[in-house]
PDB file of all heavy atoms in Angstrom:
ATOM      1  N   TRP A 232      14.982  24.249  50.577  1.00 95.00           N
ATOM      2  CA  TRP A 232      13.779  24.761  49.937  1.00 95.00           C
ATOM      3  C   TRP A 232      12.730  25.071  50.996  1.00 95.00           C
ATOM      4  O   TRP A 232      12.685  24.432  52.052  1.00 95.00           O
ATOM      5  CB  TRP A 232      13.205  23.734  48.952  1.00 95.00           C
ATOM      6  CG  TRP A 232      13.886  23.702  47.634  1.00 95.00           C
ATOM      7  CD1 TRP A 232      13.463  24.280  46.466  1.00 95.00           C
ATOM      8  CD2 TRP A 232      15.128  23.069  47.309  1.00 95.00           C
ATOM      9  NE1 TRP A 232      14.350  24.040  45.455  1.00 95.00           N
ATOM     10  CE2 TRP A 232      15.391  23.299  45.942  1.00 95.00           C
ATOM     11  CE3 TRP A 232      16.056  22.330  48.047  1.00 95.00           C
ATOM     12  CZ2 TRP A 232      16.513  22.809  45.300  1.00 95.00           C
ATOM     13  CZ3 TRP A 232      17.187  21.849  47.419  1.00 95.00           C
ATOM     14  CH2 TRP A 232      17.414  22.089  46.063  1.00 95.00           C
ATOM     15  N   ASN A 233      11.899  26.042  50.693  1.00 95.00           N
ATOM     16  CA  ASN A 233      10.775  26.386  51.556  1.00 95.00           C
ATOM     17  C   ASN A 233       9.476  26.097  50.803  1.00 95.00           C
ATOM     18  O   ASN A 233       9.306  26.529  49.660  1.00 95.00           O
ATOM     19  CB  ASN A 233      10.828  27.862  51.942  1.00 95.00           C
ATOM     20  CG  ASN A 233       9.658  28.260  52.813  1.00 95.00           C
ATOM     21  OD1 ASN A 233       9.470  27.722  53.906  1.00 95.00           O
ATOM     22  ND2 ASN A 233       8.851  29.198  52.332  1.00 95.00           N
ATOM     23  N   VAL A 234       8.567  25.344  51.434  1.00 94.00           N
ATOM     24  CA  VAL A 234       7.302  24.998  50.811  1.00 94.00           C
ATOM     25  C   VAL A 234       6.216  25.918  51.341  1.00 94.00           C
ATOM     26  O   VAL A 234       6.038  26.035  52.559  1.00 94.00           O
ATOM     27  CB  VAL A 234       6.929  23.524  51.088  1.00 94.00           C
ATOM     28  CG1 VAL A 234       5.628  23.166  50.377  1.00 94.00           C
ATOM     29  CG2 VAL A 234       8.054  22.605  50.629  1.00 94.00           C
ATOM     30  N   ASP A 235       5.505  26.547  50.423  1.00 91.00           N
ATOM     31  CA  ASP A 235       4.400  27.425  50.814  1.00 91.00           C
ATOM     32  C   ASP A 235       3.331  26.588  51.514  1.00 91.00           C
ATOM     33  O   ASP A 235       2.841  25.607  50.970  1.00 91.00           O
ATOM     34  CB  ASP A 235       3.818  28.098  49.565  1.00 91.00           C
ATOM     35  CG  ASP A 235       2.905  29.263  49.900  1.00 91.00           C
ATOM     36  OD1 ASP A 235       2.269  29.223  50.971  1.00 91.00           O
ATOM     37  OD2 ASP A 235       2.831  30.197  49.090  1.00 91.00           O
ATOM     38  N   ALA A 236       2.970  26.983  52.713  1.00 88.00           N
ATOM     39  CA  ALA A 236       2.015  26.206  53.502  1.00 88.00           C
ATOM     40  C   ALA A 236       0.605  26.266  52.930  1.00 88.00           C
ATOM     41  O   ALA A 236      -0.213  25.372  53.180  1.00 88.00           O
ATOM     42  CB  ALA A 236       2.007  26.708  54.949  1.00 88.00           C
ATOM     43  N   THR A 237       0.307  27.307  52.154  1.00 92.00           N
ATOM     44  CA  THR A 237      -1.023  27.452  51.570  1.00 92.00           C
ATOM     45  C   THR A 237      -1.087  26.742  50.229  1.00 92.00           C
ATOM     46  O   THR A 237      -0.260  26.995  49.346  1.00 92.00           O
ATOM     47  CB  THR A 237      -1.383  28.935  51.387  1.00 92.00           C
ATOM     48  OG1 THR A 237      -1.221  29.620  52.617  1.00 92.00           O
ATOM     49  CG2 THR A 237      -2.818  29.073  50.903  1.00 92.00           C
ATOM     50  N   LEU A 238      -2.065  25.855  50.078  1.00 94.00           N
ATOM     51  CA  LEU A 238      -2.203  25.067  48.853  1.00 94.00           C
ATOM     52  C   LEU A 238      -2.802  25.890  47.721  1.00 94.00           C
ATOM     53  O   LEU A 238      -3.585  26.817  47.945  1.00 94.00           O
ATOM     54  CB  LEU A 238      -3.097  23.858  49.113  1.00 94.00           C
ATOM     55  CG  LEU A 238      -2.628  22.823  50.135  1.00 94.00           C
ATOM     56  CD1 LEU A 238      -3.741  21.821  50.401  1.00 94.00           C
ATOM     57  CD2 LEU A 238      -1.390  22.114  49.639  1.00 94.00           C
ATOM     58  N   PHE A 239      -2.459  25.514  46.492  1.00 96.00           N
ATOM     59  CA  PHE A 239      -3.175  26.009  45.327  1.00 96.00           C
ATOM     60  C   PHE A 239      -4.388  25.099  45.141  1.00 96.00           C
ATOM     61  O   PHE A 239      -4.238  23.895  44.921  1.00 96.00           O
ATOM     62  CB  PHE A 239      -2.284  25.953  44.087  1.00 96.00           C
ATOM     63  CG  PHE A 239      -1.175  26.983  44.098  1.00 96.00           C
ATOM     64  CD1 PHE A 239       0.020  26.736  44.752  1.00 96.00           C
ATOM     65  CD2 PHE A 239      -1.338  28.200  43.450  1.00 96.00           C
ATOM     66  CE1 PHE A 239       1.040  27.666  44.764  1.00 96.00           C
ATOM     67  CE2 PHE A 239      -0.327  29.153  43.458  1.00 96.00           C
ATOM     68  CZ  PHE A 239       0.863  28.887  44.115  1.00 96.00           C
ATOM     69  N   THR A 240      -5.572  25.649  45.248  1.00 94.00           N
ATOM     70  CA  THR A 240      -6.789  24.842  45.191  1.00 94.00           C
ATOM     71  C   THR A 240      -7.698  25.304  44.057  1.00 94.00           C
ATOM     72  O   THR A 240      -7.805  26.507  43.780  1.00 94.00           O
ATOM     73  CB  THR A 240      -7.554  24.910  46.517  1.00 94.00           C
ATOM     74  OG1 THR A 240      -7.847  26.281  46.832  1.00 94.00           O
ATOM     75  CG2 THR A 240      -6.747  24.298  47.642  1.00 94.00           C
ATOM     76  N   GLY A 241      -8.340  24.348  43.434  1.00 95.00           N
ATOM     77  CA  GLY A 241      -9.249  24.642  42.329  1.00 95.00           C
ATOM     78  C   GLY A 241      -9.749  23.373  41.673  1.00 95.00           C
ATOM     79  O   GLY A 241     -10.924  23.251  41.349  1.00 95.00           O
ATOM     80  N   HIS A 242      -8.847  22.419  41.499  1.00 96.00           N
ATOM     81  CA  HIS A 242      -9.239  21.132  40.918  1.00 96.00           C
ATOM     82  C   HIS A 242     -10.045  20.329  41.944  1.00 96.00           C
ATOM     83  O   HIS A 242      -9.844  20.451  43.160  1.00 96.00           O
ATOM     84  CB  HIS A 242      -8.006  20.338  40.476  1.00 96.00           C
ATOM     85  CG  HIS A 242      -7.347  20.872  39.252  1.00 96.00           C
ATOM     86  ND1 HIS A 242      -7.977  20.904  38.028  1.00 96.00           N
ATOM     87  CD2 HIS A 242      -6.108  21.407  39.058  1.00 96.00           C
ATOM     88  CE1 HIS A 242      -7.158  21.427  37.126  1.00 96.00           C
ATOM     89  NE2 HIS A 242      -6.018  21.750  37.727  1.00 96.00           N
ATOM     90  N   THR A 243     -10.921  19.477  41.434  1.00 96.00           N
ATOM     91  CA  THR A 243     -11.750  18.641  42.312  1.00 96.00           C
ATOM     92  C   THR A 243     -11.342  17.176  42.272  1.00 96.00           C
ATOM     93  O   THR A 243     -11.984  16.344  42.909  1.00 96.00           O
ATOM     94  CB  THR A 243     -13.229  18.764  41.905  1.00 96.00           C
ATOM     95  OG1 THR A 243     -13.386  18.357  40.527  1.00 96.00           O
ATOM     96  CG2 THR A 243     -13.716  20.203  42.058  1.00 96.00           C
TER      97      THR A 243
END
Side-chain angles (χ1 to χ4, degrees):
W232 280 260
N233 179 60
V234 182
D235 194 330
T237 307
L238 298 171
F239 289 84
T240 57
H242 287 296
T243 59

